[in-house]
Amino acid sequence: MTQQQIQQCIDACLESMNACNVSYISSLKEYDLAMLRDCIRLSRECAEICGFAAQAMTRGSDFIAEICDLCVKACEACAAECEKHRHDHCQACAEACRKCAEACRMMAVVVA
Amino acid sequence: MTQQQIQQCIDACLESMNACNVSYISSLKEYDLAMLRDCIRLSRECAEICGFAAQAMTRGSDFIAEICDLCVKACEACAAECEKHRHDHCQACAEACRKCAEACRMMAVVVA
Amino acid sequence: MTQQQIQQCIDACLESMNACNVSYISSLKEYDLAMLRDCIRLSRECAEICGFAAQAMTRGSDFIAEICDLCVKACEACAAECEKHRHDHCQACAEACRKCAEACRMMAVVVA
Amino acid sequence: MTQQQIQQCIDACLESMNACNVSYISSLKEYDLAMLRDCIRLSRECAEICGFAAQAMTRGSDFIAEICDLCVKACEACAAECEKHRHDHCQACAEACRKCAEACRMMAVVVA
C-alpha cells in the first residue's frame, strides 16, 4: 500500500462525504420530500461514515480494514437508494458513493 | 471546576445529542414532513455539535470554552425551532437542548 | 432488541470512550511515556470509535451491526494493550473496554 | 461567499487535519517523546476540530462562523506549539495550521 493509494482512498471518501451532504441538504429543500425520506437519512449517515473513514486513514488507525469495509456497505446502500431518484444531486451522490465503495473495497483487501 | 461539574455538562450534552437524534429520526417519519424541514436539519446538526462537545470534554480539550459556546448557540437555535412543533419528540428535544445550553453556558464561563 | 438493551450498549460505549480518553490524557503526563506509545495511540483511537458507535446508535444508523463489530475489535485491542501497564487509568480503561466489547458483541449479533 | 471560497476553506481544513494527524503519529514515534507531550495532544485535538469544521461546511451548517472561529483558535495554538520543534512533520503541521487559520478567519467574517 503506497501513500499515494491511501491518499486516493481518502480523497474518494471526502468526495463521497461532500456529495452525500450536498444531496442531504438539497433533498431537504425538494418538493417531493416525502419520497426522499430514506434518501435523506442514508445520505446523511453515509456522509458521517465516509468522513470518519477519511479521518481514520489520516490518523493511521489500526482498524482501517474494518472501517473501510463499513464504508463500502454504507456507500452501496446509499448509492442504491439515491439511484432511484431523478434529482441531479441524488445521481451525483450515487456516483460518488460507487467510486468510494470501490476505493474502500480495494483498501480493505490490501491492508487486511 | 470540579470533575462532577464537568461530568454533569457531559451528561447534559449526551442527553441533548440523544434527544436531537431521536427527534431527527422521528421527524423523518412524520406525515407533516414539509413543516419539519428546518427541524430535521437543526436537530441533526445540534446532535453532532453536542456529541462533539461531550467528546471534547472527555478528552480534556484546551478549547472547551469555545466548544461549549458553540454548543449553547446550536442548542438554543434547535430548541427555538423544535418548540414550534407539537410532536412529543420535538418538545422533548427542545427541553433537552435548553438544559444542555444552560450547562454549557456555565461551563464556558467557568473554564474561560 | 428493546430500547433498554440499546441504551445499555450506548452507555457502555460512552463509559469506554470516557475511560479511553482519561487514560490517553493521563498517559501523556506519565514519566514512563516511552513505554506508553501504543497505549496512547490505541486508547485515543478506541475513544473515537466508541464515541462514533454511541452516536450511530442514537441516530438509528442502518449500520449498527457493522459499527458494533468494529467497536468490539477496537475495544479488545485497546484492552489488550492497556492491561500491560500498571497505571490505574490503564487498568480502568481496559476494564471499560472489555465491558464495551461484550455489549457491542451482543448488539451486533442481535441486530444483524 | 462563493462555492469556490467555501471549497478553499474546506480544503485548507482537510490539509490541516491531515498534517496534524501525520504529526501526531510521527511524534509518537520520536526519540524526544517527552518534549512532544503538548505537541501530540494539540495536534490530535486540532485534527479533530479541523475535520469537524470541514464536515460542518459540507453539510451547510448554520454555525459555520462559530465553528470556523473555533478552528482559528485551535490552529493557532497548534501552530504555536509545533513551531517550537525542529521535526519536519511539526514544521509542516504548523504551516498547514497557519493556512487553515487564515482561511477560517476569512470564512468566519464573511458568513457572520
Side-chain angles (χ1 to χ4, degrees):
Chain A
M1 201 73 201
T2 64
Q3 189 55 42
Q4 197 192 339
Q5 286 173 303
I6 297 173
Q7 192 57 51
Q8 283 173 353
C9 190
I10 292 171
D11 290 344
C13 287
L14 294 173
E15 288 285 326
S16 180
M17 174 185 88
N18 191 54
C20 284
N21 272 334
V22 167
S23 185
Y24 164 75
I25 287 294
S26 304
S27 291
L28 276 171
K29 295 176 185 163
E30 293 289 353
Y31 181 76
D32 60 335
L33 189 60
M35 306 283 288
L36 294 166
R37 294 174 202 261
D38 288 343
C39 191
I40 289 167
R41 201 170 44 79
L42 275 167
S43 55
R44 190 65 194 81
E45 181 67 25
C46 191
E48 278 301 306
I49 291 172
C50 290
F52 190 75
Q55 291 194 43
M57 282 183 273
T58 69
R59 70 179 178 255
S61 171
D62 287 347
F63 309 101
I64 289 179
E66 291 82 1
I67 292 171
C68 284
D69 266 338
L70 165 65
C71 202
V72 169
K73 286 202 180 98
C75 282
E76 287 183 344
C78 185
E81 177 59 34
C82 284
E83 279 163 0
K84 296 179 192 169
H85 306 282
R86 61 172 177 76
H87 302 294
D88 286 347
H89 55 80
C90 292
Q91 295 294 320
C93 180
E95 193 184 329
C97 285
R98 293 286 181 204
K99 283 184 189 163
C100 183
E102 191 53 36
C104 284
R105 190 178 292 110
M106 276 178 53
M107 176 66 76
V109 170
V110 175
V111 298
Chain B
M1 201 73 200
T2 65
Q3 188 55 42
Q4 198 192 339
Q5 286 173 303
I6 297 172
Q7 193 56 51
Q8 283 173 353
C9 190
I10 293 171
D11 289 344
C13 286
L14 294 172
E15 288 285 326
S16 180
M17 174 184 89
N18 191 54
C20 284
N21 272 335
V22 167
S23 185
Y24 164 75
I25 288 295
S26 304
S27 291
L28 276 171
K29 295 175 184 163
E30 294 289 353
Y31 181 76
D32 61 334
L33 189 60
M35 305 283 288
L36 294 166
R37 295 174 201 261
D38 288 343
C39 190
I40 290 167
R41 202 171 42 80
L42 274 167
S43 55
R44 189 66 195 81
E45 181 67 25
C46 190
E48 279 301 307
I49 290 172
C50 290
F52 190 75
Q55 291 194 45
M57 282 183 273
T58 70
R59 70 179 179 256
S61 170
D62 287 347
F63 309 101
I64 289 178
E66 291 81 2
I67 292 171
C68 284
D69 266 338
L70 165 65
C71 202
V72 170
K73 286 202 179 98
C75 282
E76 288 184 343
C78 185
E81 177 58 34
C82 284
E83 279 162 1
K84 296 179 193 167
H85 306 282
R86 62 173 177 75
H87 302 294
D88 286 347
H89 55 79
C90 293
Q91 294 294 321
C93 180
E95 194 184 328
C97 285
R98 294 287 182 202
K99 282 184 190 164
C100 183
E102 191 53 34
C104 284
R105 190 178 291 111
M106 276 177 53
M107 177 66 78
V109 170
V110 175
V111 299
Chain C
M1 202 71 201
T2 64
Q3 188 55 41
Q4 197 192 340
Q5 286 173 304
I6 297 172
Q7 192 57 51
Q8 283 173 352
C9 190
I10 292 172
D11 290 344
C13 287
L14 294 172
E15 288 285 326
S16 180
M17 174 185 87
N18 191 54
C20 285
N21 272 334
V22 167
S23 186
Y24 164 74
I25 288 295
S26 305
S27 291
L28 277 171
K29 294 175 185 163
E30 294 289 354
Y31 181 76
D32 61 333
L33 189 61
M35 306 282 289
L36 295 165
R37 294 173 202 261
D38 288 343
C39 191
I40 290 167
R41 202 171 42 79
L42 274 167
S43 56
R44 190 63 195 83
E45 181 66 26
C46 191
E48 278 302 305
I49 290 172
C50 290
F52 191 75
Q55 291 194 43
M57 282 183 272
T58 69
R59 69 178 181 255
S61 170
D62 287 347
F63 309 100
I64 289 178
E66 290 83 0
I67 292 171
C68 283
D69 266 338
L70 165 65
C71 202
V72 170
K73 286 203 180 98
C75 282
E76 287 183 344
C78 185
E81 177 59 34
C82 285
E83 279 162 2
K84 295 179 195 169
H85 305 283
R86 62 172 177 76
H87 302 295
D88 286 348
H89 55 79
C90 293
Q91 295 294 320
C93 180
E95 194 184 328
C97 285
R98 293 286 181 204
K99 283 186 189 162
C100 183
E102 192 53 36
C104 284
R105 190 178 292 111
M106 277 178 52
M107 176 67 76
V109 170
V110 175
V111 299
Chain D
M1 200 74 201
T2 65
Q3 188 56 41
Q4 196 193 341
Q5 286 173 303
I6 297 173
Q7 192 57 51
Q8 284 173 351
C9 189
I10 292 171
D11 290 344
C13 287
L14 294 172
E15 288 284 327
S16 180
M17 173 185 88
N18 191 54
C20 285
N21 272 334
V22 167
S23 185
Y24 164 74
I25 288 295
S26 304
S27 291
L28 276 171
K29 294 176 186 162
E30 294 289 354
Y31 181 76
D32 60 334
L33 190 60
M35 306 283 289
L36 294 166
R37 294 174 202 261
D38 288 343
C39 190
I40 290 167
R41 202 171 43 79
L42 274 167
S43 55
R44 189 64 194 82
E45 181 67 26
C46 191
E48 279 302 306
I49 291 173
C50 290
F52 190 75
Q55 291 194 44
M57 282 183 273
T58 69
R59 68 178 181 256
S61 170
D62 287 346
F63 309 101
I64 289 179
E66 290 83 1
I67 293 170
C68 284
D69 267 337
L70 165 66
C71 202
V72 170
K73 286 203 180 98
C75 283
E76 288 184 344
C78 185
E81 177 59 34
C82 284
E83 279 162 2
K84 295 180 193 168
H85 306 282
R86 61 172 179 76
H87 302 295
D88 285 350
H89 55 79
C90 293
Q91 294 294 320
C93 180
E95 193 183 329
C97 285
R98 294 286 181 204
K99 282 185 189 162
C100 183
E102 192 53 36
C104 284
R105 190 178 293 111
M106 276 177 53
M107 176 66 77
V109 170
V110 175
V111 299

